[in-house]
Amino acid sequence: MRRASLVLATILAVGCGGGSSGPSATAACTSRATASCALRDSCSSGHGVAARYGDPASCVSREAQACESNLRAPGTHVTPATVAACATGLPGQACADFWNNVPIPACLPPAGARANGQPCGAPGQCQSTYCALPKGAACGLCADLPAAGAPCVNTGETVRGFTCARTTGTWAPLGASGSACNDDSPCGAGFACVGAAGSATTCEAQPTATGAACDARRTSAADCDRTLGVFCTGHTGGVCAPITYVGGGAACGRLDQGDGGAGGADGGAGAFTVAACTAGALCVLEAGVLRGACVAPAAEGAACDTDLGPPCLAPARCVGSVSDGGTTTGTCQLIDPASCG
């Protein structure tokens, strides 16, 4: 259950003192960040904030900072009042929409002043309300909202229920229960693409309860919903078990293996656990196995590597060069839309 009453109380407390002219940018953005961070936790069984930011205060601080930066963006028509309205509505957002990046109406930005092809760093600058930010870039270009089959620039990105397919470079809608799926047409939040090799594959709901039956290979059944803190223990007779969360420098991935440590896709013959990183750390796996160590995020201005670490702490991006495999190496930067033309 979402902590809606607590979130709303916080929003009202932060918003007081704005006067008849409405809330200040700081008050509105703090309210929105508070609501967003609470929703992230409620949609992830209470561990989403710790995994991404480390603690609630860091989550609110960093999301509010990005919000205020976007309010200063040239050409935006987003105001503290529209941000405050978004904050009020966020506690009621469905978790699937939150993970699939489908905003509630109150959080859709007003159309901005910039036409397609003009530089941007925030969606609210664009007439289309979409800013296409390529990997490794500090600024992007205003572009049309996603539509099935239309070209896209940032593979793996999820925008309003669409994903940028890695092999085709086009937008594909995220599938729901029973939808046909493959690598270029993935399933949405809470669903897995299930089917044996060479057969038709469809989206099936992922189990969420500890002890529920699952298939780590997704050939006969869905695996577990890791967003909710559970993983699948195997291919044959697998069940959902709790994920352990660890900090920077700790061992992560598949641990306590009974197969000699060789690693495997479905749990092998021995018992094992899965550990995931917190505070924005990246689990960098050893070559040929499914275990490694958590690499803590770098500070703004420091070197980053999206494959080998260190990563950047959201909402900072790793800005620099992009390899053929999609890995970015460069420096961690907080996007400042005011610097984008």
Side-chain angles (χ1 to χ4, degrees):
M1 177 181 296
R2 299 189 180 99
R3 298 185 293 275
S5 59
L6 174 61
V7 173
L8 184 58
T10 304
I11 290 170
L12 293 174
V14 172
C16 290
S20 59
S21 61
S24 67
T26 297
C29 285
T30 300
S31 295
R32 190 194 187 287
T34 301
S36 176
C37 293
L39 183 60
R40 178 177 295 279
D41 252 1
S42 67
C43 289
S44 60
S45 295
H47 63 256
V49 167
R52 186 172 175 85
Y53 294 103
D55 57 75
S58 296
C59 179
V60 172
S61 173
R62 293 188 70 80
E63 292 200 6
Q65 182 180 5
C67 171
E68 290 196 59
S69 179
N70 289 347
L71 279 175
R72 296 190 294 268
T76 188
H77 293 155
V78 178
T79 67
T82 63
V83 171
C86 171
T88 301
L90 269 178
Q93 184 174 26
C95 290
D97 286 344
F98 177 76
W99 296 123
N100 292 335
N101 196 14
V102 180
I104 60 173
C107 292
L108 292 171
R114 297 190 171 182
N116 284 0
Q118 291 188 292
C120 59
Q125 293 178 278
C126 303
Q127 293 174 5
S128 67
T129 70
Y130 173 58
C131 178
L133 274 167
K135 289 182 179 179
C139 298
L141 298 174
C142 292
D144 287 331
L145 284 169
C152 51
V153 300
N154 193 3
T155 58
E157 180 183 19
T158 298
V159 177
R160 301 194 190 185
F162 289 83
T163 187
C164 186
R166 299 182 186 279
T167 58
T168 65
T170 59
W171 290 111
L174 294 169
S177 180
S179 300
C181 55
N182 53 44
D183 289 343
D184 285 327
S185 297
C187 305
F191 296 93
C193 193
V194 178
S199 66
T201 50
T202 57
C203 295
E204 294 186 13
Q206 294 175 297
T208 61
T210 299
C214 60
D215 179 354
R217 290 182 179 174
R218 303 180 180 181
T219 57
S220 61
D223 59 353
C224 307
D225 190 345
R226 293 197 175 204
T227 302
L228 297 178
V230 286
F231 75 98
C232 187
T233 61
H235 171 45
T236 303
V239 296
C240 294
I243 294 173
T244 300
Y245 293 91
V246 296
C252 59
R254 184 177 137 182
L255 311 176
D256 300 329
Q257 300 171 107
D259 58 1
D266 67 346
F272 69 99
T273 60
V274 165
C277 305
T278 61
L282 174 69
C283 185
V284 178
L285 302 178
E286 302 169 15
V289 298
L290 298 180
R291 66 164 177 243
C294 294
V295 179
E300 272 77 66
C304 54
D305 186 319
T306 58
D307 184 29
L308 300 177
C312 302
L313 184 61
R317 291 164 55 91
C318 190
V319 176
S321 59
V322 182
S323 69
D324 292 340
T327 296
T328 302
T329 55
T331 58
C332 291
Q333 297 182 28
L334 283 167
I335 301 302
D336 180 9
S339 67
C340 298

